[in-house]
Amino acid sequence: MLLTVPGFRASQRFEAVVDNASPYLALHEVASAAMFESEAYRNRGGPTSVGEWRSLQTNWHRNLLDEMDETPEVPLDAYLLLLRDARDVVLPAAIRVDWLRGVGLDGTIKECGLAVLSDIGSVLDLARRDERVRLFRPISEKVRAGG
C-alpha cells in the first residue's frame, strides 16, 4: 500500500532475532520528508496502511532518519544490525556501521546505526545484554515502487 504513495521508493520488513520492545521493523525509503505531509500519505499511510501487519504492531514508532540515500538491501540469508542511540557500543572491527540521524516524525531515535551482517555470532550476546543493540532477520525482500 505504501509503495503506491508518491515519494515512497522502497520497503523491507524484518523480525527481531532477540526479543525487544519492538519485535518488527520496516525500513522504508522515501524521496523527502515532505511526502509525509501529502494528501496521498494521509489517505493511505500511517498505521492504517500496514494491512496484515497491523495486528503484529504492538509498539509502533515512526522515525525519519537522514544521511543515507538508499536503505540497505538485506538478503534473506543475512541480518540487519540496528543500534539505537548507541555509538558507544564496541563492535568487532570488521563490522562497518552506517550512522543516520533522527530528523523527524516520532523522534524516538536521535541516532541510528545500521549494518548488514552475514553472521550474527559476534554480536548475538551483545544484543541479548544491551537493548540498544538489535538484530533483525528479513521477512520480506526489499521491494521497490513500480517494481
Side-chain angles (χ1 to χ4, degrees):
M1 173 72 96
L2 288 175
L3 292 174
T4 67
V5 175
F8 261 87
R9 299 189 313 208
S11 182
Q12 188 170 12
R13 295 189 184 275
F14 302 86
E15 181 177 31
V17 172
V18 174
D19 288 339
N20 72 65
S22 298
Y24 294 94
L25 171 73
L27 287 182
H28 302 300
E29 190 177 298
V30 299
S32 76
M35 185 272 322
F36 292 100
E37 301 301 321
S38 72
E39 182 176 338
Y41 178 76
R42 286 194 305 273
N43 289 336
R44 291 178 263 171
T48 60
S49 69
V50 295
E52 66 189 75
W53 301 99
R54 186 176 176 110
S55 65
L56 300 174
Q57 294 178 334
T58 57
N59 189 13
W60 195 72
H61 301 282
R62 296 177 312 153
N63 286 285
L64 185 61
L65 305 169
D66 196 12
E67 306 295 328
M68 184 179 278
D69 290 333
E70 292 186 9
T71 57
E73 185 161 349
V74 184
L76 294 176
D77 62 349
Y79 301 88
L80 180 70
L81 171 67
L82 184 143
L83 303 171
R84 292 178 55 100
D85 298 316
R87 195 178 278 262
D88 61 320
V89 168
V90 178
L91 297 170
I95 297 177
R96 186 181 75 76
V97 176
D98 290 312
W99 289 97
L100 299 90
R101 68 187 162 86
V103 295
L105 297 176
D106 294 348
T108 59
I109 297 176
K110 299 210 182 321
E111 186 176 53
C112 177
L114 297 176
V116 177
L117 307 176
S118 58
D119 178 41
I120 58 173
S122 64
V123 293
L124 187 56
D125 285 339
L126 181 58
R128 289 179 175 142
R129 291 189 318 266
D130 189 335
E131 68 178 13
R132 303 172 304 158
V133 178
R134 300 191 177 176
L135 292 167
F136 293 91
R137 67 172 186 80
I139 51 178
S140 74
E141 294 180 343
K142 184 175 180 179
V143 292
R144 300 177 195 288

